Amino acid sequence: MQLRLDRVTRQFGTRLAVDRFSACLQPGIYGLLGPNGAGKTTLMRLLCGILSPTSGEILLDGIPVRQMGEHYRALLGYLPQHFGCYPGYTVEQFMLYLAAVKGLPRSLARRQTDRLLEQVGLENWKKQRVRALSGGTLQRLGIAQALLGNPSILVLDEPTSGLDPKERIRFRNLISEYAAGRVVLLSTHIVGDLEAVAGQLLMMDGGQLLCQGTPEALLRQVEGMVWETALPAAEARALADRCHVTAIRLEGETTHLRLLADARPHPLAQPAAPNFEDLYLYHFADKGQSLWVD
Amino acid sequence: MTHTDIPFEDYRIAPPAPEQLEQCRRAARRQLSVSSLRDTRLRTALRTQAEYLGWWFWAAQGCILALFSFFILYASVLWPSGQEPVLPILAMAGPVLTVFSAPHLAKSELFGMAELESACLYPLPRLTALRLLLVGLSDFAVLCAVLLFCAGTAAGWLACAAALFIPFNLSCFVCFAVLGRLRGYPASLTAGGLIAGIGIACSNAASSIRGDVAHIAGPLVFTTAVCVALFYLRIRRGMKEAV
């Protein structure tokens, strides 16, 4: 299976939300990383057929998805960033309704509902009203409904927002097990989640794809640019004004800094192994903007 | 040497040309993409939407039918003879029905389900078309049932039909106009306000209907024909396969 985006563009008035985005997605987990307003949600809506491209094409195994229609939508599972629920629906009714709208027969819908609610840890919440659920619990329900019908293409927009660390680990494990033979595209600001599961990263800004590659290949971009040092507060503050600070830790009078810089920023700075946050800041931090907060 | 001269264990079939193989694979994937597990019959989709319209929708329809039928049947008891406001009451039935039914057409946007439903097998335009079909048929059936109760009134069939269906048709026009341009709560509030206005205006105007066939048949037939045409076009547009 191959999902190809060929110079996909989406314009709202004069604003280009997605600008000639081209990528080829094979089965596996893809992390979509970008700052707010990069076009990640618009891209996901284009993939799910909620929006149609202004230009360009999305193809599944060489066939434009616009021509496939419901055959393409039958392969999709989608979790939007925000979603609501019809009043009065319980967790079980919500799942069964979406299963019906996805065209699943009733008996299959029941079996899948029971199984998926168990997988996301909501088996005891079946009779609870959806509107009474907390944000994190609602998110787990959203993940469960996205998996209804065993979709071959799973598009998840900020799936781990609101989840506690235990649930995030459960989600990662679920997605990792599920991803075999499927295309999973998930967008998140929590780079730790991508570090754990993503086989490939797509970094996006201004509607454009900046780079795509395996985490190891992308981290090589910032090799030799990550430094750690421990300095007195005033000196640390001055250094932070010149470089991008990715982490700050105070220990008594000493400030421990983790920085991004092309060359050694201070004689006491030591090189450090880069991580995804360093990579994110390397691409998306505003030039000249200090990330130090007084 | 022909193929029959080659020993069976040595017989090798030439591999297919790469482009032929790719073509076959693509065709096979296309076939496999048609999942036999998905129930895409129209009647199943209608039944699903009817179930998930909710018991309160059907209860409201029943209550409205009962209420207006009660008024019509007992009008002669409730009001002095010759002063039964049958036509003004009938003129309110259509707008009242539409006010209760219209939010169900916009419920996906009202309750934040639009994005989820848009990515399902039945896209949102089709779901809206199915709901429109159900709600429209249900409202029409309720109004026809109320019309049956008008058999014993002095106003006459045509006057009662005009009093029932002309305000209903006008209310539907408002729904089509507003719901196609606004979303969510602004759409519901705007539509509700306009329909209430239509109901009051038609109720006041209904008192002057006196079985005058020439004056009421024309508007009745015209508004009904336009309403049916709009329903048909909306449903057809929603049911067409589109991303």
Side-chain angles (χ1 to χ4, degrees):
Chain A
M1 181 172 57
Q2 186 188 81
L3 185 63
R4 190 158 64 89
L5 293 94
D6 185 16
R7 288 163 296 176
V8 171
T9 301
R10 174 70 197 192
Q11 195 167 345
F12 295 102
T14 54
R15 189 172 70 88
L16 277 173
V18 175
D19 184 10
R20 289 161 293 169
F21 193 102
S22 293
C24 192
L25 308 181
Q26 313 270 8
I29 302 178
Y30 293 82
L32 186 59
L33 203 52
N36 295 331
K40 303 187 296 296
T41 297
T42 305
L43 180 70
M44 292 185 152
R45 287 176 179 162
L46 288 167
L47 276 171
C48 294
I50 298 167
L51 298 172
S52 50
T54 311
S55 65
E57 200 71 71
I58 300 172
L59 304 110
L60 180 64
D61 293 333
I63 306 164
V65 300
R66 280 197 266 201
Q67 290 176 16
M68 290 179 72
E70 65 180 29
H71 300 314
Y72 174 69
R73 282 196 301 279
L75 302 173
L76 278 176
Y78 177 49
L79 171 62
Q81 196 171 0
H82 305 289
F83 65 94
C85 179
Y86 296 126
Y89 273 29
T90 62
V91 165
E92 190 177 28
Q93 283 174 330
F94 178 80
M95 290 287 287
L96 290 175
Y97 170 70
L98 284 170
V101 176
K102 292 184 183 193
L104 296 179
R106 213 183 284 255
S107 55
L108 182 64
R110 285 209 175 275
R111 286 201 304 275
Q112 288 203 357
T113 296
D114 291 340
R115 180 173 58 83
L116 288 167
L117 289 179
E118 195 179 334
Q119 281 184 323
V120 298
L122 292 180
E123 64 272 27
N124 298 325
W125 295 69
K126 279 186 196 171
K127 303 300 177 194
Q128 295 288 330
R129 299 267 180 225
V130 174
R131 63 182 167 206
L133 300 181
S134 67
T137 314
L138 190 64
Q139 199 68 6
R140 283 152 60 188
L141 179 60
I143 293 165
Q145 68 77 30
L147 297 174
L148 278 170
N150 289 327
S152 303
I153 302 167
L154 196 54
V155 180
L156 307 171
D157 199 350
E158 307 275 353
T160 55
S161 68
L163 297 186
D164 63 35
K166 185 180 84 171
E167 289 308 320
R168 280 176 36 213
I169 292 167
R170 187 204 287 253
F171 164 76
R172 282 187 227 150
N173 295 341
L174 178 64
I175 290 300
S176 296
E177 281 173 29
Y178 190 80
R182 294 177 171 90
V183 173
V184 178
L185 178 68
L186 62 101
S187 84
T188 181
H189 291 129
I190 305 172
V191 290
D193 290 335
L194 294 181
E195 233 166 343
V197 297
Q200 288 238 350
L201 288 184
L202 294 99
M203 306 198 71
M204 189 176 182
D205 195 10
Q208 293 182 331
L209 179 65
L210 296 182
C211 54
Q212 177 183 356
T214 62
E216 296 77 25
L218 293 178
L219 281 174
R220 266 183 241 125
Q221 295 178 353
V222 285
E223 254 177 27
M225 296 176 67
V226 180
W227 308 88
E228 284 179 342
T229 184
L231 297 170
E235 222 175 312
R237 183 69 175 88
L239 186 60
D241 286 340
R242 297 199 320 266
C243 310
H244 287 308
V245 175
T246 63
I248 302 169
R249 194 177 81 248
L250 296 174
E251 274 184 17
E253 299 294 320
T254 309
T255 304
H256 293 258
L257 294 177
R258 186 181 172 90
L259 308 149
L260 271 180
D262 292 331
R264 190 187 294 268
H266 190 277
L268 295 178
Q270 297 297 318
N275 59 30
F276 276 34
E277 282 185 352
D278 302 321
L279 180 67
Y280 185 96
L281 276 179
Y282 171 71
H283 281 285
F284 301 126
D286 291 337
K287 300 288 181 262
Q289 179 199 25
S290 172
L291 297 175
W292 182 293
V293 177
D294 288 316
Chain B
M1 197 180 186
T2 66
H3 68 275
T4 52
D5 301 323
I6 304 170
F8 179 79
E9 51 273 12
D10 295 333
Y11 190 75
R12 294 285 180 266
I13 301 170
E19 55 276 15
Q20 267 183 323
L21 183 60
E22 189 49 45
Q23 208 173 351
C24 281
R25 280 185 179 148
R26 212 175 276 177
R29 277 189 219 114
R30 214 176 302 151
Q31 281 294 109
L32 287 171
S33 74
V34 179
S35 171
S36 59
L37 283 179
R38 305 288 170 142
D39 186 350
T40 57
R41 290 173 297 180
L42 179 61
R43 67 169 187 232
T44 309
L46 273 172
R47 193 192 69 220
T48 305
Q49 287 306 308
E51 284 173 12
Y52 287 99
L53 274 175
W55 63 268
W56 53 88
F57 171 77
W58 302 109
Q61 298 273 297
C63 287
I64 292 169
L65 171 62
L67 188 68
F68 282 91
S69 305
F70 171 81
F71 274 125
I72 300 305
L73 285 173
Y74 294 99
S76 58
V77 173
L78 296 170
W79 284 278
S81 176
Q83 292 181 27
E84 306 93 339
V86 171
L87 295 179
I89 289 172
L90 288 177
M92 294 295 290
V96 168
L97 264 177
T98 319
V99 161
F100 278 96
S101 304
H104 290 277
L105 301 177
K107 60 193 257 182
S108 295
E109 282 91 5
L110 276 175
F111 298 111
M113 287 285 286
E115 201 169 348
L116 262 179
E117 286 175 340
S118 297
C120 291
L121 185 72
Y122 303 111
L124 192 56
R126 186 176 284 195
L127 290 179
T128 309
L130 290 172
R131 286 173 192 151
L132 182 63
L133 185 61
L134 282 169
V135 165
L137 287 176
S138 173
D139 288 352
F140 182 73
V142 167
L143 291 177
C144 289
V146 172
L147 187 62
L148 289 175
F149 287 101
C150 299
T153 63
W157 282 106
L158 194 60
C160 291
L164 274 173
F165 287 102
I166 291 178
F168 174 68
N169 294 335
L170 293 174
S171 304
C172 290
F173 298 160
V174 167
C175 281
F176 288 135
V178 171
L179 295 177
R181 284 165 177 76
L182 298 177
R183 295 184 186 278
Y185 283 109
S188 286
L189 291 174
T190 307
L194 288 171
I195 291 165
I198 286 170
I200 294 167
C202 290
S203 185
N204 290 336
S207 329
S208 60
I209 300 175
R210 285 292 177 261
D212 189 347
V213 176
H215 282 119
I216 59 178
L220 175 62
V221 169
F222 175 74
T223 56
T224 304
V226 172
C227 192
V228 168
L230 284 175
F231 260 104
Y232 172 75
L233 288 172
R234 279 290 174 119
I235 289 167
R236 188 159 169 261
R237 192 172 77 185
M239 297 298 282
K240 267 171 68 171
E241 191 59 53
V243 172

